[in-house]
Amino acid sequence: MRVVLAEDLYLLRDGLTHLLQAHGFEIVAAVESGPELQHALTELRPDVAVVDVRLPPTFTDEGLQAALTARRAVPGLPVLVLSQHVEQLYARELLADGTGAIGYLLKDRVFNAEQFVDAVRRVARGGTVMDPEVISKLLASNARNEPIGQLTAREREVLELMAEGRSNAAIAQRLFISEGAIGKHTASIFTKLGLTPSDDDNRRVLAVLAYLNGSLRPR
């Protein structure tokens, strides 16, 4: 699996390079600036990009903007963003095209190599991986949204885990209840939010994230 890595801090960039190589990934480019990243993504077309948001020259959002530009040139290009902070604007921009193959993780909440490597692989396969803090922020911004207000406490738990990119089986394991019970909660959530149910995990996640992102709201 071919990876483009963008991180301005040498030690972190080198550490991520060695970590991914140790798990069988091929690092086709490891860059430190926004212009270098955009060139690498459009020219090399990797299987997945791992991108820091704030890169030289201005240290604002060069990494994100380079990734978004590359996804417009190469639709569906898998991108996993690493950030120090929860920025709703960044999350919303990533979710805007609704095609999936995206991730948003907080650097200080990646606790082990397996978690990070699994996220990279899931995004590369077209899945969606969102840090729970990102989902909490999106939910908080929808606090006055009447349909979400109709959800029970358990349904909100299921919704948050679903939005993180988890399957029914994974949610059931996390909440210590049966997969059948999760299926019933999921059906209820989709009914209350006015969404079309789907047996495809990734399509379901995208539908929920699109709703939270504001693009599937009833008018």
Side-chain angles (χ1 to χ4, degrees), residues 5-146:
L5 173 64
E7 168 59 55
D8 66 297
L9 297 177
Y10 169 75
L11 287 179
L12 184 52
R13 185 172 67 252
D14 191 58
L16 288 172
T17 296
H18 283 87
L19 171 64
L20 290 170
Q21 288 175 332
H23 285 82
F25 295 89
E26 178 188 359
I27 308 300
V28 294
V31 302
E32 59 180 324
S33 72
E36 289 176 306
L37 172 60
Q38 187 169 329
H39 177 77
L41 293 179
T42 54
E43 292 297 317
L44 299 175
R45 301 200 175 196
D47 297 310
V48 62
V50 179
V51 177
D52 187 11
V53 170
R54 299 179 180 180
L55 295 174
T58 67
F59 293 97
T60 54
D61 61 355
E62 284 88 352
L64 178 70
Q65 293 305 322
L68 292 172
T69 299
R71 275 176 69 92
R72 286 191 287 271
V74 186
L77 176 71
V79 173
L80 174 61
V81 167
L82 293 175
S83 179
Q84 293 280 16
H85 311 285
V86 178
E87 296 283 359
Q88 286 190 55
L89 178 61
Y90 298 162
R92 292 185 186 283
E93 288 195 69
L94 280 171
L95 295 169
D97 65 11
T99 59
I102 57 169
Y104 189 126
L105 296 180
L106 298 180
K107 291 180 180 178
D108 62 355
R109 288 172 55 83
V110 177
F111 300 118
N112 55 64
E114 289 71 23
Q115 176 192 3
F116 177 68
V117 169
D118 177 65
V120 175
R121 288 188 172 134
R122 285 166 63 188
V123 171
R125 291 194 297 262
T128 303
V129 179
M130 304 296 283
D131 188 278
E133 286 294 319
V134 177
I135 301 305
S136 294
K137 290 284 187 180
L138 289 174
L139 280 170
S141 69
N142 286 280
R144 297 182 181 179
N145 181 3
E146 184 177 348

Side-chain angles (χ1 to χ4, degrees), residues 167 170 181 194:
S167 65

Side-chain angles (χ1 to χ4, degrees), residues 17 19 23 28 61 66 75 91 128 161 175 184 189 194 204 211 217:
T17 296
L19 171 64
H23 285 82
V28 294
D61 61 355
T128 303
L161 293 170
L175 297 180
K184 291 178 181 178
I189 290 167
R204 183 184 67 173
Y211 183 90
R217 298 290 172 73

